[in-house]
Amino acid sequence: INCNIFWPESETMSGELIFIWYSFVIGFAAPVSLTLVFYIITFLRFLTVGTQNQNSFTEEQREITKLVLSLVTVHFAVGFHTGHMLLV
C-alpha cells in the first residue's frame, strides 16, 4: 500500500512549506501565545488584588490564592514538560 500526498502548489510557496507553516502556527505558536497571555493576565490580576487590599485579605482568600497559583504553576510545568519529553 502506498500513500502519496500531493499538496497544491502556489506561485510563491510550495505545498509542503505551506503545510509546515500552517502546522506551526495552528499547532504551536497560537496555543503557546494564548497560554502565555492568559498566564500573564492571571499573574497581574493576583498582583493587583494583593496590593490593593492587603489588610482586608482573609486567611481563606489567601489559601484560595495560593491554591490557584499552585494549580496554574503545576499545569504549566507538567503540561509543557510532558510535551517536550514526548518529543525527545
Side-chain angles (χ1 to χ4, degrees):
I1 296 176
N2 192 6
C3 181
N4 295 322
I5 299 176
F6 298 104
W7 301 103
E9 295 294 326
S10 170
E11 292 180 14
T12 56
M13 282 198 235
S14 69
E16 291 88 1
L17 188 58
I18 293 171
F19 175 75
I20 290 170
W21 276 105
Y22 173 81
S23 298
F24 172 75
V25 170
I26 298 297
F28 178 74
V32 168
S33 300
L34 287 174
T35 302
L36 185 63
V37 165
F38 289 129
Y39 279 146
I40 289 171
I41 290 171
T42 303
F43 182 71
L44 292 176
R45 177 72 177 148
F46 278 120
L47 283 180
T48 58
V49 168
T51 56
Q52 285 176 354
N53 301 322
Q54 203 166 26
N55 293 332
S56 66
F57 250 20
T58 64
E59 189 62 34
E60 182 180 348
Q61 288 172 326
R62 284 192 183 105
E63 290 298 319
I64 291 171
T65 302
K66 288 179 187 177
L67 176 66
V68 170
L69 283 175
S70 64
L71 286 175
V72 167
T73 304
V74 167
H75 175 264
F76 184 77
V78 170
F80 282 100
H81 179 69
T82 305
H84 287 293
M85 292 306 290
L86 290 175
L87 292 176
V88 173

